[in-house]
Amino acid sequence: MVDPAPLRCLWAADALLPAGWARDVLLTWNPYGQLTAVTPDSVRPEGVPEVDGPVMPGLPNLHSHAFQRAFAGLTEFRSEQADSFWSWRAQMYRFARHITPGQLEAIATWLYIEMLEAGYTSVCEFHYVHLDPEGRPYADDATLSLCLLRAAKTAGIGLTLLPVLYQTAGFGGTPPADGQRRFIRSTDAMLRLLERLKPLCDAQGARLGLAPHSLRAVPPESLREALAGLQALDATAPVHIHIAEQTAEVDACLAWSGQRPVEWLLNHAPVDAGWCLVHATHLSAQEITRTAASGAVAGLCPSTEANLGDGLFDMPAWLSAGGRWGLGSDSHATVNAAEELMLLEYSQRLQTRQRNVLATAQQPDTATAMTLAAVAGGAQASGRPVGGLAVGQQADFVTLDPRHLALDGLDGPDALSAHVFASHRTSAVQAVWVCGQQRISAGRHGLHGSAAQAFVAARRQILNQTAD
Ligand SMILES: [Zn+2]
């Protein structure tokens, strides 16, 4: 018996396209999962199924450290008089010290399933645990990267893999601390790893990029050499870097170079639209103008930045400079695309004492404006064609449950507003499609149960290991 041809057409009464909400939209894609036609105001052709509920583009998650999912919620106690990012980081290192390849794969598989169930359809994995617990390369140096590639494949989420270059503990070449020993690699070893991973990523439809961890962790000469090596491998590969997340980092950079971190980066690296500046929380007015003009994406991680006490990004100044932005779940204190959007808008309201700060002249509906901006910025940072419901982009989309109490009876824009601002932590994500394939039905992934069990077992093992 021959399997029926996979479904390649759907019709939606309400769909969010790049220019805004449209009615009676016929979506058509090819066997590679690429949209070939997006037709509003169409009559539903006979035999083409109607989507149940409003359709929105899937959100690219532009910043993830998968292993950190295993201790989300476990650092919420005071360990110092003035607890901070830095005391949190010491606890994070305890977790990173013991994790095994099998544990990483179980954690990442569950995390990526959670992301799909929460409305993310792709992820940029900022991957910095490379070595074994003693700080030596595994027999196959790509071991932990391969765990992440397999996890993404098992879950069916799109992936941009960003191996992290990490060499020093502070500005000016401070030697790495013991807790950082699993992250360290030479620039040559990084370039060999990228060469090994490139064909594997290509075969899976994943994108390979590079993440210099931060200016603290990568000396100028290494940054220059690594970028040149990446350029030779793939001239348009994405580059992500943590930057200006903490005021202490800004002060240390000023003491080292006389320049602020983003100022230094713009003066010494070819920052352009291929770059994602993760956090970029503490920017001067001049840095905002120059960074926005470079075309780089600001990688905002609202729940993690709140959890770590980083500070607030100046969104009104960034938007008025024409800056692009996207969202990441980073440490995975929250894995919920709608909640990240809500937190971002609410943090700006608290700061500015205004409402609907992220609405735009073109899109007065705040949730709609934020979703479109985060999809466009996320796609740019991912280096993948995941920029929404348009011809040539991947068929990555989410349908919302029209019977969810918060959404029942509402049209597309109001349903999305209710999903973001008033669903009270009960997700309205109903079905999720990635590259034209359905991964979530009735809010659940097919591997939800088994992946959750494997995650809990891995976390228990790590907690036992770190208790030693
Ligand atoms: Zn991060």
Side-chain angles (χ1 to χ4, degrees):
M1 205 170 95
V2 178
D3 285 332
L7 184 63
R8 290 185 201 141
C9 263
L10 283 174
W11 188 87
D14 280 304
L16 180 55
L17 310 186
W21 285 92
R23 298 280 302 166
D24 303 340
V25 179
L26 181 64
L27 300 170
T28 308
W29 58 93
N30 65 21
Y32 306 103
Q34 184 185 49
L35 288 163
T36 52
V38 178
T39 316
D41 306 317
S42 61
V43 176
R44 180 164 70 92
E46 201 171 327
V48 171
E50 178 174 351
V51 181
D52 185 27
V55 174
M56 56 184 278
L59 226 78
N61 184 340
L62 60 61
H63 193 62
S64 163
H65 309 291
F67 78 93
Q68 295 184 8
R69 176 63 183 90
F71 66 97
L74 300 181
T75 58
E76 310 305 320
F77 59 92
R78 183 176 286 178
S79 62
E80 290 179 3
Q81 192 55 36
D83 238 333
S84 68
F85 170 88
W86 307 102
S87 52
W88 169 86
R89 193 181 71 159
Q91 299 195 45
M92 182 266 282
Y93 285 173
R94 270 195 324 122
F95 267 80
R97 194 164 62 209
H98 295 290
I99 195 166
T100 67
Q103 289 162 353
L104 176 65
E105 188 166 337
I107 294 161
T109 301
W110 169 242
L111 171 68
Y112 295 160
I113 285 171
E114 281 187 303
M115 285 184 189
L116 288 164
E117 292 181 350
Y120 295 114
T121 43
S122 59
V123 59
C124 299
E125 183 63 38
F126 197 106
H127 166 50
Y128 61 91
V129 183
H130 296 293
L131 305 179
D132 78 6
E134 305 309 317
R136 295 174 307 223
Y138 285 98
D140 179 348
D141 187 37
T143 293
L144 295 178
S145 298
L146 297 180
C147 291
L148 295 165
L149 274 164
R150 278 196 301 271
K153 192 170 188 176
T154 303
I157 198 167
L159 178 70
T160 297
L161 183 60
L162 303 161
V164 172
L165 189 62
Y166 202 118
Q167 296 182 336
T168 55
F171 293 99
T174 315
D178 190 48
Q180 297 162 336
R181 65 186 171 198
R182 299 192 70 180
F183 317 156
I184 304 304
R185 69 175 46 233
S186 70
T187 309
D188 282 349
M190 171 55 74
L191 294 177
R192 284 197 301 274
L193 178 66
L194 294 178
E195 279 170 23
R196 164 110 165 80
L197 291 172
K198 180 78 168 64
L200 302 173
C201 286
D202 290 347
Q204 189 171 319
R207 189 78 195 260
L208 182 69
L210 173 70
H213 177 275
S214 57
L215 297 179
R216 285 183 272 124
V218 182
E221 186 62 14
S222 299
L223 180 63
R224 201 184 54 74
E225 286 174 5
L227 291 174
L230 179 71
Q231 171 90 13
L233 193 66
D234 177 353
T236 61
V239 180
H240 291 215
I241 185 169
H242 288 134
I243 198 147
E245 179 179 8
Q246 289 281 319
T247 51
E249 176 195 343
V250 176
D251 295 343
C253 189
L254 277 165
W256 166 65
S257 68
Q259 297 170 55
R260 302 167 58 84
V262 169
E263 181 185 12
W264 190 94
L265 188 73
L266 292 168
N267 288 342
H268 293 88
V271 177
D272 63 12
W275 284 63
C276 178
L277 273 51
V278 181
H279 306 302
T281 311
H282 301 286
L283 304 187
S284 68
Q286 195 190 37
E287 285 174 317
I288 287 176
T289 309
R290 289 183 64 197
T291 308
S294 77
V297 175
L300 308 180
C301 307
S303 65
T304 294
E305 289 156 10
N307 187 280
L308 297 179
D310 287 346
L312 286 175
F313 184 80
D314 187 347
M315 191 54 111
W318 182 249
L319 293 180
S320 68
R324 305 169 196 186
W325 61 275
L327 283 179
S329 60
D330 193 356
S331 68
H332 314 301
T334 294
V335 183
N336 184 321
E339 277 186 32
E340 293 289 351
L341 290 168
M342 183 181 74
L343 274 169
L344 178 62
E345 168 67 21
Y346 278 0
S347 64
Q348 297 296 317
R349 291 187 190 189
L350 289 165
Q351 177 78 348
T352 61
R353 288 174 279 163
Q354 294 177 11
R355 300 188 73 248
N356 298 309
V357 180
L358 275 84
T360 63
Q362 298 77 29
Q363 294 293 347
D365 280 306
T366 306
T368 294
M370 286 196 294
T371 299
L372 290 173
V375 168
Q380 183 181 321
S382 304
R384 301 180 68 244
V386 292
L389 298 174
V391 171
Q393 300 298 301
Q394 261 188 210
D396 285 11
F397 56 90
V398 171
T399 73
L400 299 178
D401 179 4
R403 286 167 297 280
H404 187 291
L405 196 66
L407 283 65
D408 199 343
L410 305 183
D411 64 6
D414 284 344
L416 180 53
S417 287
H419 172 55
V420 169
F421 291 108
S423 58
H424 306 295
R425 305 182 78 162
T426 58
S427 175
V429 171
Q430 177 171 247
V432 177
W433 299 68
V434 180
C435 205
Q437 293 192 45
Q438 189 166 359
R439 298 297 184 188
I440 305 294
S441 308
R444 281 282 183 122
H445 192 284
L447 299 176
H448 181 107
S450 57
Q453 273 186 358
F455 165 76
V456 171
R459 181 172 63 186
R460 190 179 299 121
Q461 287 169 6
I462 298 171
L463 286 169
N464 288 337
Q465 290 157 350
T466 55
D468 297 344

